[in-house]
Amino acid sequence: MLNLAGLLEELERSEPARAAMSILEASLARRSVEEQGAFWRAVDIYYVSRKAPPEATDPATATAAPELAAVS
């Protein structure tokens, strides 16, 4: 599960993350409210839905996800 609190903490601590967010905010400011909403919905679908890539795990301890085990 995506840990939003952790991401916000990282944004506060990381200069590159703050710079990237500044660029993103400037870009979105030039868009309509509808376009901004569509962007954040796409981010939500990609990162929060089941379509998001799996979180990184240690290969030595990783096991197949239940939904992938059924396909294998």
Side-chain angles (χ1 to χ4, degrees), residues 1-69:
M1 182 59 146
L2 184 63
N3 183 349
L4 294 177
L7 290 176
L8 291 174
E9 290 172 8
E10 178 65 22
L11 178 61
E12 292 171 358
R13 288 191 314 260
S14 170
E15 180 62 33
R18 285 193 307 270
M21 185 55 84
S22 177
I23 292 167
L24 176 60
E25 289 171 345
S27 178
L28 286 174
R30 296 189 298 265
R31 306 291 181 203
S32 70
V33 172
E34 292 82 14
E35 290 173 315
Q36 291 176 27
F39 172 80
W40 289 116
R41 278 189 299 281
V43 168
D44 184 55
I45 288 169
Y46 185 77
Y47 285 101
V48 178
S49 76
R50 293 183 158 268
K51 296 176 185 168
E55 293 183 19
T57 58
D58 181 3
T61 61
T63 58
E67 61 272 10
L68 295 177

